[in-house]
Amino acid sequence: MFLNRVNFKIALTFTLFTTLVSIILFSALSFLLTNYYKTEDYRQLNVRLATMEGQYKLSGINAITSVDVGEMIQYGKPYFIRVTKDKFQLALGPLEWQRIFDYELLNGKKNGELTKLSSSEVDYQLDVLTHILDDGSILQTGISDQHRTQVLSSLNRVFIILLIPLVIISLIFGVFYSSNTLKPVSDLTETIKGIIKTGKKRPDIRKYNNKNELSELIILFNTLFNKNENLIKGMKETLDNVSHDLRTPLTRIRGISEIALTNSNPEQWQEALSDIIEDIDIIIRILNALLDITAAESGVLKLKIKEFNLKTLLEKSIDLYNFIAEEKEISISLDYKIDREIVNADEEKIRQVVANLLDNAVKYTENGGNVTVTAEQTESDWVIHINDSGIGISQDEVGNIWRRLYRSTKSRTEPGLGLGLSMVQAIINSHGGKVEVKSELGEGSTFTTTLPFQISNIEET
Ligand code: ADP
């Protein structure tokens, strides 16, 4: 179980890698040292042979016999010498070596040959170099490789002693480092498990501030999760609202039909049928508006972008609502400040937007109030403000008014479906523009739509 965990596998790989690198480095060091010692020993043998040759040529065999065996140490290492000429043989050196090594094996060696002399009694060998003089005398000298092998085996021991803590430290460091790095992933896994098990909606992942790929993954997961949650919530609310809003006219249709069935008066049938048609119209309006909003939001709505006279459109819309406004003694005025009258957009959709906003402005303004429509421009956009002195919207509710079928508590006395502003927003967004509201309860509201003069990336039909 533990061995299967990713962080342990990473730590193990890291440890294996560290160990392998250490072994390779140590082998290289050991190889270089061995070579260095061998070359050094060979050089020392050559120096000795050259000295021996000089003395031998000068004083003959006496030069060799006069050597004090106790002083036969060079560079801190004991050595032996051997002279052979015809049947004559003389070997001087540590007495122990004379006993355990068979010098006879050195006979017949070639000039310059490096020979290894071994014995079953000891675990070291003698390196012997042979030099043959012109008169046939053979000079040989040898030293033991004990020092060299001792140094190298101590080095091996030190390496093995160091390797054990190195492996342990690498493993601990690897587990710690990989666990730390993979913490976001394990947190995410735990959270997902929790969500699956308990159905808990909020992922309980603490905030990851340091920016790396893994913490970014958590942040993205959180965002995605919240978006999905909001989407599901929105869909549930819409479904609840649609069911609620459809139930009212449908229940009414049922009631009217039941009464009509028990009644034999054709005049009352006629009245019932016209009431039913009215309710069916409401249902059709709700469904059509919902379909239009969905189409606009999902980008399926095809816009018929063409040039039209904005000033005329605003004037005609105001004329239309003046009828209702006059009943409430509300004045509607237009302040047109754009230096051109022709703009580019889907005329019918813009008419729908203006109509919805004007309808709300008049609907939610008390008798004797006023509504102002202002058209102005920025460098790249045309902007329409529809301002009213009406009931306004509370700060708690202002964020919700764009939601489908949402109606604020204060507006329930007025007729409406709660779909107008969703439609306005969907249409403006599909034109690449934006719609905003500024409102305070009891102080009136201003709805502002901003649309670009140049409409881009929109499929024209
Ligand atoms: P409806 O007007 O059919 O209820 P809308 O989508 O047009 O639906 O508006 C949603 C809600 O926003 C309204 O119910 C109302 O509470 C609020 N609202 C919209 N326009 C105004 C306005 N001009 N003044 C005050 N409240 C408004």
Side-chain angles (χ1 to χ4, degrees), residues 340 344 380-382 431-432 451-458:
R340 61 182 104 166
N344 241 333
S380 54
D381 305 311
W382 47 280
H431 275 82
L451 283 146
F453 285 116
Q454 291 290 332
I455 296 179
S456 55
N457 297 328
I458 289 171

PDB file of all heavy atoms in Angstrom, residues 340 344 380-382 431-432 451-458:
ATOM      1  N   ARG A 340     -24.179  61.000 -34.827  1.00  0.00           N
ATOM      2  CA  ARG A 340     -24.767  60.357 -36.008  1.00  0.00           C
ATOM      3  C   ARG A 340     -26.080  59.698 -35.593  1.00  0.00           C
ATOM      4  O   ARG A 340     -26.278  59.406 -34.412  1.00  0.00           O
ATOM      5  CB  ARG A 340     -23.806  59.319 -36.585  1.00  0.00           C
ATOM      6  CG  ARG A 340     -23.482  58.206 -35.623  1.00  0.00           C
ATOM      7  CD  ARG A 340     -22.505  57.229 -36.196  1.00  0.00           C
ATOM      8  NE  ARG A 340     -21.185  57.446 -35.613  1.00  0.00           N
ATOM      9  CZ  ARG A 340     -20.197  56.571 -35.717  1.00  0.00           C
ATOM     10  NH1 ARG A 340     -20.333  55.480 -36.428  1.00  0.00           N
ATOM     11  NH2 ARG A 340     -19.057  56.806 -35.151  1.00  0.00           N
ATOM     12  N   ASN A 344     -25.168  50.441 -36.358  1.00  0.00           N
ATOM     13  CA  ASN A 344     -25.181  49.069 -36.864  1.00  0.00           C
ATOM     14  C   ASN A 344     -25.563  48.102 -35.746  1.00  0.00           C
ATOM     15  O   ASN A 344     -24.869  48.033 -34.734  1.00  0.00           O
ATOM     16  CB  ASN A 344     -23.749  48.709 -37.292  1.00  0.00           C
ATOM     17  CG  ASN A 344     -23.687  48.383 -38.738  1.00  0.00           C
ATOM     18  OD1 ASN A 344     -24.679  47.940 -39.311  1.00  0.00           O
ATOM     19  ND2 ASN A 344     -22.531  48.598 -39.344  1.00  0.00           N
ATOM     20  N   SER A 380     -15.601  54.536 -29.124  1.00  0.00           N
ATOM     21  CA  SER A 380     -15.931  53.349 -29.911  1.00  0.00           C
ATOM     22  C   SER A 380     -17.353  52.829 -29.697  1.00  0.00           C
ATOM     23  O   SER A 380     -17.771  51.898 -30.382  1.00  0.00           O
ATOM     24  CB  SER A 380     -14.950  52.229 -29.555  1.00  0.00           C
ATOM     25  OG  SER A 380     -14.983  52.043 -28.148  1.00  0.00           O
ATOM     26  N   ASP A 381     -18.095  53.405 -28.744  1.00  0.00           N
ATOM     27  CA  ASP A 381     -19.413  52.838 -28.410  1.00  0.00           C
ATOM     28  C   ASP A 381     -20.532  53.867 -28.454  1.00  0.00           C
ATOM     29  O   ASP A 381     -20.301  55.063 -28.311  1.00  0.00           O
ATOM     30  CB  ASP A 381     -19.390  52.262 -26.990  1.00  0.00           C
ATOM     31  CG  ASP A 381     -18.284  51.258 -26.790  1.00  0.00           C
ATOM     32  OD1 ASP A 381     -18.142  50.354 -27.628  1.00  0.00           O
ATOM     33  OD2 ASP A 381     -17.541  51.395 -25.790  1.00  0.00           O
ATOM     34  N   TRP A 382     -21.742  53.360 -28.624  1.00  0.00           N
ATOM     35  CA  TRP A 382     -22.920  54.208 -28.378  1.00  0.00           C
ATOM     36  C   TRP A 382     -23.605  53.686 -27.123  1.00  0.00           C
ATOM     37  O   TRP A 382     -23.698  52.483 -26.899  1.00  0.00           O
ATOM     38  CB  TRP A 382     -23.847  54.303 -29.579  1.00  0.00           C
ATOM     39  CG  TRP A 382     -24.204  53.027 -30.289  1.00  0.00           C
ATOM     40  CD1 TRP A 382     -23.443  52.363 -31.190  1.00  0.00           C
ATOM     41  CD2 TRP A 382     -25.445  52.291 -30.173  1.00  0.00           C
ATOM     42  NE1 TRP A 382     -24.100  51.251 -31.665  1.00  0.00           N
ATOM     43  CE2 TRP A 382     -25.347  51.191 -31.058  1.00  0.00           C
ATOM     44  CE3 TRP A 382     -26.610  52.457 -29.452  1.00  0.00           C
ATOM     45  CZ2 TRP A 382     -26.360  50.253 -31.219  1.00  0.00           C
ATOM     46  CZ3 TRP A 382     -27.635  51.527 -29.616  1.00  0.00           C
ATOM     47  CH2 TRP A 382     -27.499  50.440 -30.483  1.00  0.00           C
ATOM     48  N   HIS A 431     -24.412  40.970 -28.845  1.00  0.00           N
ATOM     49  CA  HIS A 431     -23.899  42.032 -29.734  1.00  0.00           C
ATOM     50  C   HIS A 431     -22.472  42.423 -29.366  1.00  0.00           C
ATOM     51  O   HIS A 431     -21.886  43.298 -29.998  1.00  0.00           O
ATOM     52  CB  HIS A 431     -24.769  43.301 -29.615  1.00  0.00           C
ATOM     53  CG  HIS A 431     -25.976  43.299 -30.499  1.00  0.00           C
ATOM     54  ND1 HIS A 431     -27.134  42.670 -30.164  1.00  0.00           N
ATOM     55  CD2 HIS A 431     -26.200  43.871 -31.722  1.00  0.00           C
ATOM     56  CE1 HIS A 431     -28.030  42.844 -31.124  1.00  0.00           C
ATOM     57  NE2 HIS A 431     -27.485  43.571 -32.092  1.00  0.00           N
ATOM     58  N   GLY A 432     -21.964  41.825 -28.287  1.00  0.00           N
ATOM     59  CA  GLY A 432     -20.600  42.192 -27.825  1.00  0.00           C
ATOM     60  C   GLY A 432     -20.620  43.449 -26.971  1.00  0.00           C
ATOM     61  O   GLY A 432     -19.596  44.102 -26.789  1.00  0.00           O
ATOM     62  N   LEU A 451     -22.956  49.645 -26.514  1.00  0.00           N
ATOM     63  CA  LEU A 451     -22.781  48.781 -27.700  1.00  0.00           C
ATOM     64  C   LEU A 451     -21.715  49.366 -28.620  1.00  0.00           C
ATOM     65  O   LEU A 451     -21.648  50.580 -28.793  1.00  0.00           O
ATOM     66  CB  LEU A 451     -24.101  48.682 -28.454  1.00  0.00           C
ATOM     67  CG  LEU A 451     -25.096  47.742 -27.783  1.00  0.00           C
ATOM     68  CD1 LEU A 451     -26.501  48.229 -27.966  1.00  0.00           C
ATOM     69  CD2 LEU A 451     -24.943  46.343 -28.343  1.00  0.00           C
ATOM     70  N   PRO A 452     -20.903  48.517 -29.202  1.00  0.00           N
ATOM     71  CA  PRO A 452     -19.838  49.045 -30.056  1.00  0.00           C
ATOM     72  C   PRO A 452     -20.371  49.519 -31.424  1.00  0.00           C
ATOM     73  O   PRO A 452     -21.307  48.939 -31.955  1.00  0.00           O
ATOM     74  CB  PRO A 452     -18.910  47.842 -30.231  1.00  0.00           C
ATOM     75  CG  PRO A 452     -19.750  46.654 -29.952  1.00  0.00           C
ATOM     76  CD  PRO A 452     -20.857  47.065 -29.042  1.00  0.00           C
ATOM     77  N   PHE A 453     -19.765  50.601 -31.961  1.00  0.00           N
ATOM     78  CA  PHE A 453     -20.124  51.042 -33.315  1.00  0.00           C
ATOM     79  C   PHE A 453     -19.771  49.952 -34.324  1.00  0.00           C
ATOM     80  O   PHE A 453     -20.496  49.674 -35.250  1.00  0.00           O
ATOM     81  CB  PHE A 453     -19.368  52.333 -33.676  1.00  0.00           C
ATOM     82  CG  PHE A 453     -19.932  53.550 -32.989  1.00  0.00           C
ATOM     83  CD1 PHE A 453     -19.169  54.267 -32.079  1.00  0.00           C
ATOM     84  CD2 PHE A 453     -21.224  53.990 -33.268  1.00  0.00           C
ATOM     85  CE1 PHE A 453     -19.682  55.397 -31.457  1.00  0.00           C
ATOM     86  CE2 PHE A 453     -21.746  55.127 -32.645  1.00  0.00           C
ATOM     87  CZ  PHE A 453     -20.970  55.827 -31.733  1.00  0.00           C
ATOM     88  N   GLN A 454     -18.582  49.349 -34.078  1.00  0.00           N
ATOM     89  CA  GLN A 454     -18.129  48.279 -34.978  1.00  0.00           C
ATOM     90  C   GLN A 454     -18.429  46.948 -34.309  1.00  0.00           C
ATOM     91  O   GLN A 454     -17.821  46.620 -33.293  1.00  0.00           O
ATOM     92  CB  GLN A 454     -16.603  48.362 -35.178  1.00  0.00           C
ATOM     93  CG  GLN A 454     -16.127  49.557 -35.971  1.00  0.00           C
ATOM     94  CD  GLN A 454     -16.529  49.440 -37.436  1.00  0.00           C
ATOM     95  OE1 GLN A 454     -16.672  48.337 -37.947  1.00  0.00           O
ATOM     96  NE2 GLN A 454     -16.740  50.571 -38.085  1.00  0.00           N
ATOM     97  N   ILE A 455     -19.368  46.209 -34.874  1.00  0.00           N
ATOM     98  CA  ILE A 455     -19.675  44.916 -34.258  1.00  0.00           C
ATOM     99  C   ILE A 455     -18.816  43.857 -34.936  1.00  0.00           C
ATOM    100  O   ILE A 455     -18.878  43.676 -36.156  1.00  0.00           O
ATOM    101  CB  ILE A 455     -21.164  44.594 -34.370  1.00  0.00           C
ATOM    102  CG1 ILE A 455     -21.929  45.647 -33.551  1.00  0.00           C
ATOM    103  CG2 ILE A 455     -21.465  43.195 -33.856  1.00  0.00           C
ATOM    104  CD1 ILE A 455     -23.406  45.498 -33.571  1.00  0.00           C
ATOM    105  N   SER A 456     -17.983  43.175 -34.098  1.00  0.00           N
ATOM    106  CA  SER A 456     -17.074  42.185 -34.700  1.00  0.00           C
ATOM    107  C   SER A 456     -17.419  40.800 -34.184  1.00  0.00           C
ATOM    108  O   SER A 456     -18.102  40.645 -33.177  1.00  0.00           O
ATOM    109  CB  SER A 456     -15.640  42.520 -34.333  1.00  0.00           C
ATOM    110  OG  SER A 456     -15.546  42.615 -32.941  1.00  0.00           O
ATOM    111  N   ASN A 457     -16.858  39.795 -34.882  1.00  0.00           N
ATOM    112  CA  ASN A 457     -17.014  38.377 -34.506  1.00  0.00           C
ATOM    113  C   ASN A 457     -18.463  37.941 -34.353  1.00  0.00           C
ATOM    114  O   ASN A 457     -18.776  37.060 -33.583  1.00  0.00           O
ATOM    115  CB  ASN A 457     -16.302  38.077 -33.178  1.00  0.00           C
ATOM    116  CG  ASN A 457     -14.836  38.294 -33.318  1.00  0.00           C
ATOM    117  OD1 ASN A 457     -14.282  38.091 -34.394  1.00  0.00           O
ATOM    118  ND2 ASN A 457     -14.223  38.731 -32.239  1.00  0.00           N
ATOM    119  N   ILE A 458     -19.354  38.610 -35.044  1.00  0.00           N
ATOM    120  CA  ILE A 458     -20.754  38.192 -34.948  1.00  0.00           C
ATOM    121  C   ILE A 458     -21.216  37.784 -36.333  1.00  0.00           C
ATOM    122  O   ILE A 458     -21.003  38.495 -37.311  1.00  0.00           O
ATOM    123  CB  ILE A 458     -21.636  39.331 -34.384  1.00  0.00           C
ATOM    124  CG1 ILE A 458     -21.311  39.498 -32.895  1.00  0.00           C
ATOM    125  CG2 ILE A 458     -23.108  39.030 -34.564  1.00  0.00           C
ATOM    126  CD1 ILE A 458     -21.929  40.701 -32.274  1.00  0.00           C
TER     127      ILE A 458
END
